[in-house]
Amino acid sequence: MTLGQRLIANEWSAIAVAIVIGVVGLAATSPAFLTEFNLYVMMRSFCVVLVVAFAQMLTLAVGQLNLSIGALGGLVAIAIGGMMEVLGFPIAVALPIGLAIGALGGLINGLLTVRTGINGFIITLATASAFTGINLGITESIPFYNLPSAFVAFGTARLSAFPMLLIPPVIVALLLALFLARTVPGRQLLAVGGNPHAAQLSGVHMNGIVVLAHTLSGLLAAVGAILAVAQLGSAQPTIGQDWLIMSFAAPIIGGAALTGGHVSVAATALAVVLIVLIQNGMVLAQVDPYWVQFLLGALILAAVGLNRLRAVRAGEA
Amino acid sequence: MTATETLNPDPVMTVADANEAPARRGAFLAESGNLIGLAAIVLIFWVVLTSLRPGFISNFNLFTLSRSLAIDIVIGFSTMVVLATGGMNLAIGSIGVCAVMAAGFLMQGLGLPPLVAFAAALALGAALGWLNGFAIVRSGVNSFIITLASASLYLGAMLILSKAVTFNELPAAVADFGKLRFGGFVSPLLIIALAIGAALIVLFRFTALGREILAAGANPRAAELSGVPVGRVVIIAHTLSGALAGAAGLMLVARLGAAMPSIGQDWLLPSFLAPVLGGTLLSGGAVSVIGTMLGALLVTTIRSGLLVMQVGNFWLQLFLGVILLAAVMLDRYRGKVAERRSLGRR
């Protein structure tokens, strides 16, 4: 195998090349790109998308999907906002409850999917609507603005270009990589996605693993919601509305198969870097922000096309 | 006459004719049971809503109801024809809004007569649907991914080209058509939707193409072996879905009297609600045109009911989500009971 072929065969190499081209291109054309502030802004917008992408990646790993990530995120966002502003709960109480709500929402998704045997698409489409309904019913679309100053300050704190907000997502990424690579439930999760029948024959408790994947997905959606609230400085009921396409785009660009069993924490993270880079480039070039929507669609199509090509090549070899 | 157009998923395996007739009757009873159950739920809603708020069956409310019902039905059809092939189309809202904005531009920007503009917009919807189908068949990638990406692509292109500006100086004839009433409360839009439904029943019951679409959805391999051009059939279903999405968008233009870029963004849930409530399978091979219409009627009834009960739009999403969950779980439960009964008989 030549170096070129090896690069094509590697799932994240194409993304890495695209990122390098993007960085060099932007640095050459826009003097504002490599400024400390712009790097800070970029890394800050990286945080929420990364965790949201991981939330979807976990359901994709078992061959499921979760349309309710954004709705659940919105619900958790207003729940922690309401707890801190209206009920006066301290941060240390509100955030764990918020995480628990996320995990509970995911657990409901998982149990409904497993118990009824109905396609996860329909289940999470329905629960997404229900979560959004609860969110809008409680808030009537009015955000919570008066959050504890320590919480809001964390959202804007930085060490030169490095935002403090980036610390939780990095920890999540490391834990997730460890979970999928080194723990029994993590391996079982991938085994169930790769070949459910074989996994079951090897004694893996299938339903339990699917429920676990959904629960963790909900938990990560809650982490994303907390980060989004900290980033915005207010708990907006609209948080999560634009997560759907992002949540699928990053894992799929990162080479995840919809059939399950194949996901990569590193490739997903690189895909998020690429998406953030494109968004930032659009802003710097002062292009119509609508181009982001267009390019995201094109990027997904390009990625699945490339994956397809790779699969065909692998089949020929 | 069965209301659901199903196809024997395994045409090669023919059981003795004596066994087949009761089995078919069983399927027929289960399907009509589903439709009767759905109709009963709708009826209960109507009785309760009317007794609580007599204004629910006022001519005015029935007229607004018939207009939104028409649109919900066509949105449901748009998803239904793709579900028949075992695929899905997440780009319905985006295709709808592309057709809407194209029609708006042709009428307001170029001054074309509404009929020409609407025909061109429908053709655009069909073309975008064809593009979806072509990409799915050619790449062999799951329709979920392709249409998720193309939804973003189409919406982005529409926003770039239109700059998200509403066309609100359309020919008066468009809004006048939307305001037309027959018999006091029936919108011509509803008649169009019912006509489309009749055409779809004919397609899936009486034409080779309709049977081929169902065959491709039920078992693509078996269909391929029996000489069905599965790829072409899938592309046709997606083209039809695109045209129907465009039609739904244009009906909304007639109702609103304007072409807005925000149209279609909330279509995903109702587009699946109507066919799934009506008994169309996600796995493909079976559609119910009448069921989709009843499903759309239930959705419209709940939406209108919450409005007249002044519960407010905020809780609507919760109701729709819970009802979808309840419906699919009930359906699953009924299937299990039927299975147990047939096993017991043996």
Side-chain angles (χ1 to χ4, degrees), chain A residues 116-119 121-122 125-126 129-130 133-134 136-137 140-141 245 248 252 258 290-291 293-294 297-298 304 308, chain B residues 88 139 142 144-145 148-149 152-153 155-157 159-160 164 269 272 276 282 314-315 317-318 321 324-325 328-329 332:
Chain A
T116 63
I118 297 167
N119 192 312
F121 177 88
I122 289 292
L125 183 70
S129 180
I134 297 170
L136 293 179
E140 308 209 323
S141 282
I245 182 97
F248 281 103
I252 288 170
L258 262 200
Y290 302 131
W291 276 97
Q293 181 103 34
F294 180 82
V304 289
R308 191 76 203 156
Chain B
M88 43 175 90
S139 67
N142 193 311
F144 175 87
I145 294 291
L148 182 77
S152 185
L153 207 69
L155 186 68
L159 289 170
I160 292 163
L269 184 70
F272 278 91
V276 170
L282 272 194
F314 292 120
W315 292 103
Q317 294 258 329
L318 176 62
L324 177 58
L325 272 182
V328 288
M329 278 157 75
R332 186 53 56 130

Side-chain angles (χ1 to χ4, degrees), chain B residues 7 14 21 44-45 49 69 84 87 116 128 144 150-151 166 171 179 244 249 254-255 286 300 309 318 324 332 346:
Chain B
L7 207 74
T14 39
I44 291 168
F45 265 104
L49 285 169
L69 172 63
V116 177
L128 295 178
F144 175 87
S150 73
T166 301
K179 287 192 195 114
L244 287 170
R255 196 182 105 185
T300 316
M309 296 297 294
L318 176 62
L324 177 58
R332 186 53 56 130
R346 263 177 218 171

Side-chain angles (χ1 to χ4, degrees), chain B:
Chain B
M1 178 185 149
T2 51
T4 304
E5 330 301 332
T6 39
L7 207 74
N8 186 357
D10 214 341
V12 189
M13 298 260 288
T14 39
V15 198
D17 285 333
N19 280 347
E20 212 171 67
R24 200 177 289 158
R25 197 180 309 139
F28 166 70
L29 285 179
E31 287 309 326
S32 49
N34 183 18
L35 292 184
I36 291 166
L38 197 55
I41 294 170
V42 172
L43 196 67
I44 291 168
F45 265 104
W46 277 63
V47 169
V48 169
L49 285 169
T50 309
S51 54
L52 289 175
R53 291 279 190 281
F56 185 71
I57 50 165
S58 67
N59 267 3
F60 173 75
N61 197 52
L62 286 180
F63 171 63
T64 47
L65 209 119
S66 80
R67 286 203 300 188
S68 36
L69 172 63
I71 294 159
D72 276 330
I73 286 177
V74 179
I75 294 173
F77 284 157
S78 179
T79 289
M80 186 192 77
V81 294
V82 174
L83 289 181
T85 67
M88 43 175 90
N89 185 358
L90 303 187
I92 283 169
S94 294
I95 294 178
V97 74
C98 284
V100 162
M101 297 307 277
F105 172 72
L106 292 175
M107 286 187 284
Q108 190 176 324
L110 299 184
L112 290 178
L115 273 183
V116 177
F118 277 29
L122 278 182
L124 176 68
L128 295 178
W130 177 86
L131 210 59
N132 277 342
F134 180 77
I136 290 161
V137 169
R138 266 306 171 86
S139 67
V141 175
N142 193 311
S143 59
F144 175 87
I145 294 291
I146 297 286
T147 57
L148 182 77
S150 73
S152 185
L153 207 69
Y154 296 161
L155 186 68
M158 182 280 294
L159 289 170
I160 292 163
L161 292 174
S162 72
K163 307 218 182 325
V165 180
T166 301
F167 294 103
N168 51 13
E169 287 163 22
L170 304 181
V174 175
D176 288 346
F177 183 72
K179 287 192 195 114
L180 223 64
R181 306 183 188 194
F182 296 129
F185 59 84
V186 179
S187 165
L189 296 178
L190 184 59
I191 295 170
I192 294 175
L194 294 178
I196 294 175
L200 286 174
I201 289 179
V202 170
L203 172 74
F204 283 113
R205 270 191 80 72
F206 301 115
T207 69
L209 175 65
R211 310 304 290 177
E212 284 179 349
I213 291 177
L214 292 173
N219 189 338
R221 248 176 65 82
E224 192 82 67
L225 290 175
S226 335
V228 174
V230 170
R232 213 185 67 196
V233 162
V234 168
I235 292 178
I236 290 173
H238 272 277
T239 310
L240 190 57
S241 173
L244 287 170
L250 296 178
M251 290 162 87
L252 207 46
V253 171
R255 196 182 105 185
L256 299 168
M260 299 183 183
S262 57
I263 284 173
Q265 287 179 14
D266 51 355
W267 284 8
L268 186 67
L269 184 70
S271 79
F272 278 91
L273 265 170
V276 170
L277 290 178
T280 296
L281 298 177
L282 272 194
S283 48
V287 297
S288 172
V289 174
I290 293 173
T292 302
M293 293 199 262
L294 282 176
L297 180 60
L298 182 58
V299 172
T300 316
T301 302
I302 292 165
R303 198 181 287 145
S304 170
L306 289 183
L307 217 63
V308 296
M309 296 297 294
Q310 287 162 343
V311 178
N313 250 336
F314 292 120
W315 292 103
L316 173 71
Q317 294 258 329
L318 176 62
F319 275 82
L320 289 183
V322 169
I323 281 174
L324 177 58
L325 272 182
V328 288
M329 278 157 75
L330 196 71
D331 200 43
R332 186 53 56 130
Y333 175 72
R334 198 171 41 225
K336 271 190 187 146
V337 169
E339 203 172 289
R340 212 169 294 155
R341 257 191 217 153
S342 71
L343 283 177
R345 234 187 353 238
R346 263 177 218 171

